[in-house]
Structure formats: C-alpha cells, structure tokens
Amino acid sequence: MKNLILSFVFAMFALWGNTQTTTSPTNAPAFFAQCMVNLNNQNDLTTLENQLRSIPYVSVVRVDVPTHRLFLVTKDISSFTAAEFTSWMGSYSSSYSCLQIGLQGVDPINPYPFTNCSEN
C-alpha cells in the first residue's frame, strides 16, 4: 500500500512538473526581408542595424558593410509587408532598393548580387 501511494504521489508530481514546463508555441510565421542599403557611411549602417535590432518583432538582423546588404528575420507577426518594412527603416526609409520579403523556410531567398529587382 505504501508503494502504491508513493507511486501515485510521484506520478502526480511528474505530471504537474511536465505541465509547468510545457509552453505553447506561437502560430505566427517568421518572415525574412533582404535589400540593398544605399548608404556609404559605415556609422549609418551600424546605426540602422541597431535601430532594427531594437524592434521587438525582429529576431535577426545582419548588415554586411562591404556589400551594403541587409537581411532580417521577424518573429511573432502574422504578416509582413513592404510598407511595414519601410516604417521600420525610419529615417533611412528612402535609402534601400531591391527589397525581397518572403516566408522564412518556404520562399526562396534571392542570391547576391540581386538582379532584375524592383527598385523602391
């Protein structure tokens, strides 16, 4: 009887611990955006990268200084448009071209150098 009660208590604690650590994943997809940034000043590129990193919906930001490429991945949003990207660029909103937005893991990412891209 003692073993049965101990087994029951152990099972209850194991079940309770499992429900406490299980988190529900978000259903929001991740998007990517990449573009060319038309800034020649390295300080401006660094400022832009830091500005984008401070946005709570941005998971990853990479600015390649030599090639002026920008790449970012979003999190916790259900859609992502060029207008939203432009607003995230802030004072640098007129300094990018060749924007590509896609669903991370689904849409192909255009390789560098970007060709036949639509200018902004």
Side-chain angles (χ1 to χ4, degrees):
M1 184 65 160
K2 182 180 176 182
N3 288 339
L4 182 61
I5 292 172
L6 286 175
S7 297
F8 178 74
V9 170
F10 177 73
M12 292 302 292
F13 276 115
L15 180 62
W16 180 73
N18 192 24
T19 59
Q20 295 297 314
T21 58
T22 303
T23 59
S24 61
T26 61
N27 291 330
F31 294 90
F32 71 87
Q34 69 172 349
C35 65
M36 296 297 297
V37 181
N38 304 317
L39 298 171
N40 292 324
N41 186 328
Q42 184 173 349
N43 290 333
D44 286 340
L45 290 169
T46 303
T47 300
L48 174 60
E49 183 175 17
N50 291 331
Q51 173 184 311
L52 291 170
R53 285 176 193 251
S54 70
I55 297 171
Y57 300 111
V58 172
S59 175
V60 175
V61 177
R62 298 288 183 265
V63 174
D64 186 46
V65 174
T67 62
H68 299 258
R69 290 183 299 167
L70 181 145
F71 182 82
L72 69 82
V73 178
T74 69
K75 63 179 177 180
D76 299 330
I77 58 175
S78 58
S79 67
F80 189 50
T81 65
E84 290 168 319
F85 178 80
T86 300
S87 72
W88 289 3
M89 293 290 284
S91 61
Y92 301 105
S93 63
S94 63
S95 61
Y96 71 90
S97 60
C98 298
L99 176 64
Q100 180 196 11
I101 294 176
L103 193 57
Q104 181 72 14
V106 176
D107 295 325
I109 298 172
N110 292 340
Y112 178 80
F114 305 128
T115 56
N116 300 323
C117 63
S118 61
E119 298 294 321
N120 298 342

